[in-house]
Amino acid sequence: MAHNILVLGGSRHIGYHAALRFLNAGSTVTFLLRSPNTFDQDEDIQKHVKSGKARLVKGDALAVKDIQNLWAEASKDAPVDLVLFTVGFNGNQKFSLRKGFVGMSPGNLVTQCLFNVLRTMPTTQPLPKFVALSTVGVTRASRSAAPLALKPVYSYLIQQAIQDKLGMERIIYHCAGWQWNSRDEPSAEIIGEGWKELEGLPEPGSLKDAMVIRAAMLTDGECKAPYRVVEGDITGYSVSRKDVGHFIFDAVTNHWEEYGGKQVSIAY
């Protein structure tokens, strides 16, 4: 089945690999890109740009007007039926003895981008499927399930990024109507005060077709399925970005009844 897909965080890595699979299967994909020339030398994407199936929209997910324009462009011919949200942290971070890797600006980049996407989403029903990329270690239970050697990574080395992903998950849990453990509540610094009352935020339980994916430590290895996917938390060291992209495509096209409406984790 072909989809009309809106992708944020698709210039590289998991969002890119998943989007390319959807394009090759006949879907239409609209990318938000800070630099549309990102794909100038990418023959795999360019053939879809020429066919009109890949749409490249210049913008920044932190700018509300850019997100409004993205929705308008993506839905000009048909409603968006899938959002792929793989916004993550850049590599320009510095190491602090007290806080691990820091320097992402703003510190709640992922959370703020998600707010912008959800608050500008067209209110026509049904709302699109929503796939969001998170990470193993984001909650207390998830860190507890992680291998012993990786616990310091999640609790110390990448704690800023973890807190931002936690904010992202909290918003989705709220909009999807899923039960949230109050011990994992993100700080106001990440999610803000009174965030549940923000104008345009979907009502609790209205985002029925959401899937949150917590991935183990990511590698640049090749797609080598099989991998393990479980509802809830998982114990595992790593998984390749290409395999996560493969899972997203397979879950949406073949196994949505199994994985849709759930938080799942993936690892080898």
Side-chain angles (χ1 to χ4, degrees):
M1 175 183 175
H3 295 272
N4 185 24
I5 306 171
L6 186 154
V7 177
L8 299 101
S11 63
R12 57 180 183 164
H13 298 328
I14 292 169
Y16 172 86
H17 297 309
L20 187 57
R21 286 184 177 274
F22 282 110
L23 284 167
N24 290 338
S27 292
T28 298
V29 176
T30 303
F31 295 88
L32 181 71
L33 301 167
R34 290 183 178 180
S35 301
N37 61 4
T38 297
F39 294 143
D40 281 358
Q41 306 304 316
D42 189 321
E43 295 181 1
D44 292 326
I45 295 292
Q46 282 301 316
K47 67 180 181 182
H48 296 295
V49 171
K50 292 174 182 177
S51 73
K53 289 293 188 178
R55 300 168 176 171
L56 313 183
V57 177
K58 179 178 175 59
D60 186 335
L62 289 171
V64 173
K65 288 186 177 180
D66 288 352
I67 297 297
Q68 291 172 329
N69 180 56
L70 176 68
W71 277 112
E73 180 65 22
S75 58
K76 65 182 182 181
D77 297 322
V80 171
D81 56 20
L82 173 64
V83 176
L84 179 53
F85 186 88
T86 60
V87 177
F89 350 108
N90 59 42
N92 302 319
Q93 299 186 53
K94 298 180 180 180
F95 181 73
S96 161
L97 284 176
R98 187 166 64 91
K99 296 183 177 181
F101 287 101
V102 296
M104 184 171 63
S105 181
N108 66 342
L109 182 146
V110 177
T111 301
Q112 189 58 56
C113 289
L114 180 64
F115 270 135
N116 291 344
V117 173
L118 291 176
R119 295 177 65 198
T120 58
M121 184 165 55
T123 56
T124 54
Q125 296 293 330
L127 295 180
K129 293 182 175 70
F130 204 103
V131 176
L133 178 68
S134 187
T135 177
V136 166
V138 71
T139 64
R140 293 169 186 265
S142 184
R143 286 192 295 277
S144 179
L148 181 63
L150 292 182
K151 293 183 188 295
V153 175
Y154 298 124
S155 62
Y156 167 57
L157 285 179
I158 60 171
Q159 59 180 299
Q160 183 187 57
I162 286 285
Q163 288 302 308
D164 195 11
K165 288 289 190 180
L166 181 69
M168 179 203 75
E169 282 203 19
R170 181 67 183 98
I171 298 165
I172 293 176
Y173 268 67
H174 171 76
C175 295
W178 300 347
Q179 185 174 359
W180 182 261
N181 188 333
S182 60
R183 297 179 66 199
D184 291 316
E185 198 68 24
S187 68
E189 182 181 359
I190 292 294
I191 204 167
E193 299 284 358
W195 61 272
K196 294 178 183 179
E197 284 72 48
L198 287 173
E199 183 180 358
L201 192 67
E203 292 293 324
S206 62
L207 196 67
K208 300 181 184 300
D209 269 336
M211 179 173 68
V212 171
I213 305 169
R214 293 177 186 166
M217 297 299 290
L218 296 168
T219 74
D220 289 325
E222 293 302 314
C223 182
K224 59 178 185 180
Y227 36 74
R228 294 181 296 127
V229 178
V230 301
E231 182 178 357
D233 297 311
I234 198 169
T235 299
Y237 282 92
S238 67
V239 66
S240 77
R241 293 178 173 89
K242 289 184 178 180
D243 269 326
V244 180
H246 176 275
F247 167 68
I248 291 171
F249 174 78
D250 187 51
V252 170
T253 56
N254 300 315
H255 300 286
W256 191 253
E257 290 187 1
E258 180 179 356
Y259 297 117
K262 297 177 181 178
Q263 175 267 305
V264 300
S265 299
I266 180 171
Y268 292 135

